[in-house]
Amino acid sequence: EFDYHSFFQLQDAAPKMGAYLMDYMVPTVRQWALLRITRAYRPSISVLHVLKELGFDHDQDNNDDGISWLESCGCILNPEKTTILTKESVIQESNLTAKNSLI
């Protein structure tokens, strides 16, 4: 139950229009997964690993969207923005406004 790793793998490989239905669940699953990751991995974890697990694009050169989302959720990053300091982070709901493609 609540397997965020399998959820994001399925989203990439969902048949027909399944990925579009799953898009509505992504913010909730990401928030829940980030909370679990920061509790499980102490005292730190790689930003690239977390972004990959949370279904963000796998571009190592341009992770600005993912990093800004992590920071808006309360993650404390090291100065190079390569590691989340999970012990110092207090996870909360993201305050970034989501783009709605239906409007």
Short mmCIF file of all heavy atoms in Angstrom, two decimals, residues 34 37 44-60 62-71 75-86:
data_model
loop_
_atom_site.label_atom_id
_atom_site.label_comp_id
_atom_site.label_asym_id
_atom_site.label_seq_id
_atom_site.Cartn_x
_atom_site.Cartn_y
_atom_site.Cartn_z
N LEU A 34 7.41 12.55 -0.05
CA LEU A 34 8.48 13.39 0.47
C LEU A 34 8.52 13.31 2.00
O LEU A 34 9.60 13.23 2.60
CB LEU A 34 8.29 14.84 0.03
CG LEU A 34 9.36 15.82 0.50
CD1 LEU A 34 10.73 15.44 -0.04
CD2 LEU A 34 9.00 17.23 0.08
N ILE A 37 10.13 9.94 2.79
CA ILE A 37 11.56 9.92 2.46
C ILE A 37 12.36 10.68 3.49
O ILE A 37 13.41 10.21 3.95
CB ILE A 37 11.78 10.49 1.04
CG1 ILE A 37 11.27 9.50 -0.01
CG2 ILE A 37 13.25 10.79 0.80
CD1 ILE A 37 11.24 10.06 -1.42
N SER A 44 20.77 12.88 5.77
CA SER A 44 20.67 13.59 4.48
C SER A 44 20.42 12.59 3.36
O SER A 44 20.60 11.39 3.53
CB SER A 44 21.94 14.39 4.20
OG SER A 44 23.04 13.51 4.07
N ILE A 45 20.01 13.14 2.20
CA ILE A 45 19.78 12.32 1.00
C ILE A 45 20.02 13.20 -0.22
O ILE A 45 19.81 14.41 -0.18
CB ILE A 45 18.36 11.72 0.99
CG1 ILE A 45 18.20 10.75 -0.18
CG2 ILE A 45 17.31 12.80 0.98
CD1 ILE A 45 16.93 9.94 -0.14
N SER A 46 20.42 12.61 -1.30
CA SER A 46 20.71 13.32 -2.54
C SER A 46 19.44 13.91 -3.16
O SER A 46 18.41 13.24 -3.22
CB SER A 46 21.38 12.37 -3.53
OG SER A 46 21.40 12.92 -4.82
N VAL A 47 19.54 15.14 -3.62
CA VAL A 47 18.41 15.81 -4.28
C VAL A 47 18.03 15.07 -5.56
O VAL A 47 16.85 14.86 -5.84
CB VAL A 47 18.75 17.29 -4.58
CG1 VAL A 47 17.72 17.92 -5.50
CG2 VAL A 47 18.85 18.08 -3.29
N LEU A 48 19.01 14.64 -6.33
CA LEU A 48 18.72 13.93 -7.58
C LEU A 48 17.94 12.64 -7.33
O LEU A 48 17.02 12.32 -8.08
CB LEU A 48 20.02 13.62 -8.32
CG LEU A 48 20.75 14.83 -8.91
CD1 LEU A 48 22.05 14.38 -9.57
CD2 LEU A 48 19.87 15.55 -9.91
N HIS A 49 18.30 11.92 -6.28
CA HIS A 49 17.58 10.69 -5.96
C HIS A 49 16.13 10.98 -5.59
O HIS A 49 15.21 10.30 -6.04
CB HIS A 49 18.29 9.95 -4.83
CG HIS A 49 17.57 8.72 -4.38
ND1 HIS A 49 17.49 7.58 -5.16
CD2 HIS A 49 16.86 8.46 -3.26
CE1 HIS A 49 16.77 6.68 -4.53
NE2 HIS A 49 16.37 7.18 -3.37
N VAL A 50 15.92 12.00 -4.77
CA VAL A 50 14.56 12.35 -4.35
C VAL A 50 13.72 12.80 -5.54
O VAL A 50 12.58 12.37 -5.70
CB VAL A 50 14.60 13.45 -3.25
CG1 VAL A 50 13.20 13.96 -2.95
CG2 VAL A 50 15.26 12.92 -2.00
N LEU A 51 14.30 13.65 -6.40
CA LEU A 51 13.55 14.12 -7.57
C LEU A 51 13.20 12.97 -8.50
O LEU A 51 12.11 12.93 -9.07
CB LEU A 51 14.34 15.20 -8.30
CG LEU A 51 14.53 16.51 -7.54
CD1 LEU A 51 15.35 17.48 -8.37
CD2 LEU A 51 13.20 17.12 -7.14
N LYS A 52 14.11 12.02 -8.64
CA LYS A 52 13.84 10.85 -9.48
C LYS A 52 12.71 10.02 -8.87
O LYS A 52 11.81 9.58 -9.57
CB LYS A 52 15.11 10.01 -9.61
CG LYS A 52 14.96 8.78 -10.44
CD LYS A 52 16.26 8.03 -10.52
CE LYS A 52 16.02 6.62 -10.95
NZ LYS A 52 17.19 5.77 -10.76
N GLU A 53 12.75 9.81 -7.56
CA GLU A 53 11.71 9.03 -6.89
C GLU A 53 10.35 9.71 -6.94
O GLU A 53 9.32 9.05 -6.96
CB GLU A 53 12.09 8.77 -5.43
CG GLU A 53 13.17 7.75 -5.26
CD GLU A 53 12.75 6.36 -5.70
OE1 GLU A 53 11.65 5.91 -5.31
OE2 GLU A 53 13.52 5.73 -6.45
N LEU A 54 10.34 11.06 -6.97
CA LEU A 54 9.08 11.79 -6.96
C LEU A 54 8.54 12.09 -8.36
O LEU A 54 7.59 12.84 -8.52
CB LEU A 54 9.23 13.10 -6.18
CG LEU A 54 9.55 12.94 -4.69
CD1 LEU A 54 9.72 14.29 -4.05
CD2 LEU A 54 8.50 12.12 -4.00
N GLY A 55 9.17 11.51 -9.38
CA GLY A 55 8.63 11.61 -10.73
C GLY A 55 8.94 12.89 -11.47
O GLY A 55 8.29 13.19 -12.46
N PHE A 56 9.93 13.65 -11.02
CA PHE A 56 10.34 14.84 -11.77
C PHE A 56 11.21 14.41 -12.95
O PHE A 56 11.72 13.29 -12.98
CB PHE A 56 11.12 15.80 -10.87
CG PHE A 56 10.26 16.57 -9.92
CD1 PHE A 56 10.06 16.14 -8.62
CD2 PHE A 56 9.63 17.73 -10.32
CE1 PHE A 56 9.26 16.83 -7.75
CE2 PHE A 56 8.82 18.45 -9.46
CZ PHE A 56 8.64 18.00 -8.17
N ASP A 57 11.39 15.30 -13.93
CA ASP A 57 12.22 14.99 -15.09
C ASP A 57 13.62 14.62 -14.66
O ASP A 57 14.15 15.16 -13.68
CB ASP A 57 12.26 16.17 -16.06
CG ASP A 57 10.92 16.41 -16.71
OD1 ASP A 57 10.17 15.43 -16.89
OD2 ASP A 57 10.62 17.57 -17.05
N HIS A 58 14.25 13.73 -15.40
CA HIS A 58 15.56 13.19 -15.03
C HIS A 58 16.71 13.96 -15.66
O HIS A 58 17.70 13.39 -16.06
CB HIS A 58 15.66 11.72 -15.44
CG HIS A 58 14.54 10.89 -14.89
ND1 HIS A 58 14.40 10.64 -13.54
CD2 HIS A 58 13.51 10.28 -15.48
CE1 HIS A 58 13.34 9.89 -13.34
NE2 HIS A 58 12.77 9.66 -14.50
N ASP A 59 16.60 15.27 -15.75
CA ASP A 59 17.65 16.10 -16.33
C ASP A 59 18.55 16.62 -15.21
O ASP A 59 18.13 17.42 -14.38
CB ASP A 59 17.03 17.28 -17.09
CG ASP A 59 18.05 18.11 -17.83
OD1 ASP A 59 19.21 17.66 -17.95
OD2 ASP A 59 17.70 19.21 -18.27
N GLN A 60 19.81 16.15 -15.16
CA GLN A 60 20.71 16.53 -14.08
C GLN A 60 21.14 17.99 -14.17
O GLN A 60 21.53 18.59 -13.18
CB GLN A 60 21.94 15.64 -14.06
CG GLN A 60 21.63 14.22 -13.65
CD GLN A 60 22.88 13.39 -13.51
OE1 GLN A 60 23.98 13.87 -13.65
NE2 GLN A 60 22.70 12.11 -13.22
N ASN A 62 19.23 20.62 -15.28
CA ASN A 62 18.16 21.59 -15.03
C ASN A 62 17.11 20.99 -14.10
O ASN A 62 16.13 20.43 -14.53
CB ASN A 62 17.52 22.02 -16.35
CG ASN A 62 16.57 23.17 -16.14
OD1 ASN A 62 16.50 23.75 -15.06
ND2 ASN A 62 15.82 23.50 -17.17
N ASN A 63 17.36 21.13 -12.79
CA ASN A 63 16.42 20.64 -11.79
C ASN A 63 15.76 21.78 -11.05
O ASN A 63 15.31 21.61 -9.92
CB ASN A 63 17.15 19.73 -10.79
CG ASN A 63 17.55 18.42 -11.40
OD1 ASN A 63 16.83 17.85 -12.19
ND2 ASN A 63 18.73 17.96 -11.05
N ASP A 64 15.68 22.94 -11.67
CA ASP A 64 15.19 24.13 -10.98
C ASP A 64 13.75 23.98 -10.50
O ASP A 64 13.41 24.40 -9.40
CB ASP A 64 15.31 25.36 -11.88
CG ASP A 64 16.75 25.69 -12.21
OD1 ASP A 64 17.64 25.28 -11.43
OD2 ASP A 64 16.99 26.35 -13.23
N ASP A 65 12.88 23.38 -11.32
CA ASP A 65 11.49 23.20 -10.92
C ASP A 65 11.38 22.28 -9.71
O ASP A 65 10.66 22.57 -8.75
CB ASP A 65 10.66 22.62 -12.07
CG ASP A 65 10.49 23.60 -13.22
OD1 ASP A 65 10.63 24.81 -12.97
OD2 ASP A 65 10.21 23.14 -14.34
N GLY A 66 12.10 21.19 -9.76
CA GLY A 66 12.07 20.25 -8.64
C GLY A 66 12.67 20.83 -7.37
O GLY A 66 12.12 20.64 -6.28
N ILE A 67 13.77 21.54 -7.50
CA ILE A 67 14.41 22.13 -6.34
C ILE A 67 13.53 23.21 -5.73
O ILE A 67 13.39 23.30 -4.51
CB ILE A 67 15.80 22.67 -6.70
CG1 ILE A 67 16.76 21.50 -6.96
CG2 ILE A 67 16.35 23.58 -5.62
CD1 ILE A 67 18.11 21.88 -7.49
N SER A 68 12.89 24.02 -6.56
CA SER A 68 12.00 25.05 -6.02
C SER A 68 10.79 24.41 -5.33
O SER A 68 10.32 24.91 -4.32
CB SER A 68 11.55 26.02 -7.11
OG SER A 68 10.80 25.37 -8.09
N TRP A 69 10.30 23.28 -5.86
CA TRP A 69 9.21 22.58 -5.19
C TRP A 69 9.66 22.04 -3.84
O TRP A 69 8.94 22.16 -2.84
CB TRP A 69 8.68 21.44 -6.07
CG TRP A 69 7.50 20.76 -5.46
CD1 TRP A 69 6.21 21.17 -5.51
CD2 TRP A 69 7.50 19.56 -4.68
NE1 TRP A 69 5.41 20.29 -4.81
CE2 TRP A 69 6.18 19.30 -4.29
CE3 TRP A 69 8.50 18.68 -4.29
CZ2 TRP A 69 5.83 18.19 -3.53
CZ3 TRP A 69 8.15 17.58 -3.52
CH2 TRP A 69 6.82 17.35 -3.15
N LEU A 70 10.85 21.44 -3.80
CA LEU A 70 11.37 20.92 -2.54
C LEU A 70 11.52 22.03 -1.50
O LEU A 70 11.14 21.86 -0.34
CB LEU A 70 12.72 20.23 -2.76
CG LEU A 70 12.71 18.90 -3.50
CD1 LEU A 70 14.13 18.45 -3.80
CD2 LEU A 70 11.97 17.85 -2.70
N GLU A 71 12.05 23.17 -1.92
CA GLU A 71 12.22 24.28 -0.99
C GLU A 71 10.88 24.83 -0.51
O GLU A 71 10.73 25.22 0.64
CB GLU A 71 13.06 25.39 -1.63
CG GLU A 71 14.51 25.01 -1.80
CD GLU A 71 15.33 26.04 -2.55
OE1 GLU A 71 14.75 26.80 -3.36
OE2 GLU A 71 16.54 26.09 -2.32
N CYS A 75 12.00 21.78 2.62
CA CYS A 75 13.28 21.06 2.64
C CYS A 75 14.43 22.06 2.79
O CYS A 75 14.45 23.10 2.12
CB CYS A 75 13.48 20.27 1.35
SG CYS A 75 12.41 18.84 1.22
N ILE A 76 15.37 21.72 3.65
CA ILE A 76 16.57 22.52 3.82
C ILE A 76 17.66 21.85 2.99
O ILE A 76 17.98 20.68 3.19
CB ILE A 76 16.99 22.58 5.31
CG1 ILE A 76 15.84 23.08 6.17
CG2 ILE A 76 18.24 23.43 5.48
CD1 ILE A 76 15.40 24.49 5.87
N LEU A 77 18.23 22.61 2.04
CA LEU A 77 19.27 22.08 1.16
C LEU A 77 20.63 22.61 1.58
O LEU A 77 20.74 23.69 2.18
CB LEU A 77 18.98 22.47 -0.28
CG LEU A 77 17.61 22.10 -0.85
CD1 LEU A 77 17.47 22.61 -2.27
CD2 LEU A 77 17.39 20.61 -0.80
N ASN A 78 21.67 21.85 1.22
CA ASN A 78 23.02 22.34 1.48
C ASN A 78 23.31 23.50 0.51
O ASN A 78 22.54 23.73 -0.43
CB ASN A 78 24.05 21.22 1.34
CG ASN A 78 24.19 20.68 -0.07
OD1 ASN A 78 23.33 20.91 -0.91
ND2 ASN A 78 25.25 19.97 -0.32
N PRO A 79 24.37 24.28 0.71
CA PRO A 79 24.63 25.45 -0.15
C PRO A 79 24.77 25.12 -1.64
O PRO A 79 24.43 25.93 -2.49
CB PRO A 79 25.93 26.02 0.41
CG PRO A 79 25.96 25.58 1.83
CD PRO A 79 25.29 24.23 1.85
N GLU A 80 25.24 23.92 -1.97
CA GLU A 80 25.39 23.54 -3.38
C GLU A 80 24.08 23.03 -3.98
O GLU A 80 24.02 22.73 -5.17
CB GLU A 80 26.46 22.44 -3.53
CG GLU A 80 27.85 22.90 -3.16
CD GLU A 80 28.09 22.80 -1.65
OE1 GLU A 80 27.42 21.99 -0.97
OE2 GLU A 80 28.92 23.57 -1.15
N LYS A 81 23.04 22.87 -3.15
CA LYS A 81 21.73 22.37 -3.56
C LYS A 81 21.81 20.97 -4.17
O LYS A 81 21.13 20.64 -5.13
CB LYS A 81 21.03 23.33 -4.52
CG LYS A 81 20.74 24.67 -3.89
CD LYS A 81 19.88 25.52 -4.78
CE LYS A 81 19.72 26.88 -4.17
NZ LYS A 81 18.52 27.06 -3.43
N THR A 82 22.66 20.13 -3.57
CA THR A 82 22.81 18.75 -4.03
C THR A 82 22.31 17.74 -3.01
O THR A 82 22.11 16.58 -3.34
CB THR A 82 24.28 18.43 -4.35
OG1 THR A 82 25.07 18.66 -3.18
CG2 THR A 82 24.79 19.28 -5.50
N THR A 83 22.09 18.19 -1.78
CA THR A 83 21.69 17.29 -0.71
C THR A 83 20.59 17.93 0.14
O THR A 83 20.65 19.12 0.44
CB THR A 83 22.90 16.98 0.21
OG1 THR A 83 23.96 16.46 -0.58
CG2 THR A 83 22.54 15.98 1.28
N ILE A 84 19.60 17.12 0.50
CA ILE A 84 18.56 17.57 1.42
C ILE A 84 19.01 17.20 2.83
O ILE A 84 19.33 16.03 3.10
CB ILE A 84 17.21 16.91 1.12
CG1 ILE A 84 16.73 17.27 -0.27
CG2 ILE A 84 16.17 17.31 2.16
CD1 ILE A 84 15.48 16.52 -0.69
N LEU A 85 19.03 18.17 3.70
CA LEU A 85 19.36 17.92 5.10
C LEU A 85 18.07 17.55 5.81
O LEU A 85 17.34 18.41 6.30
CB LEU A 85 20.01 19.16 5.71
CG LEU A 85 21.24 19.69 4.95
CD1 LEU A 85 21.71 20.99 5.53
CD2 LEU A 85 22.35 18.65 4.94
N THR A 86 17.78 16.27 5.84
CA THR A 86 16.46 15.80 6.28
C THR A 86 16.23 16.03 7.77
O THR A 86 15.09 16.22 8.19
CB THR A 86 16.28 14.31 5.97
OG1 THR A 86 17.34 13.57 6.59
CG2 THR A 86 16.30 14.07 4.47
#
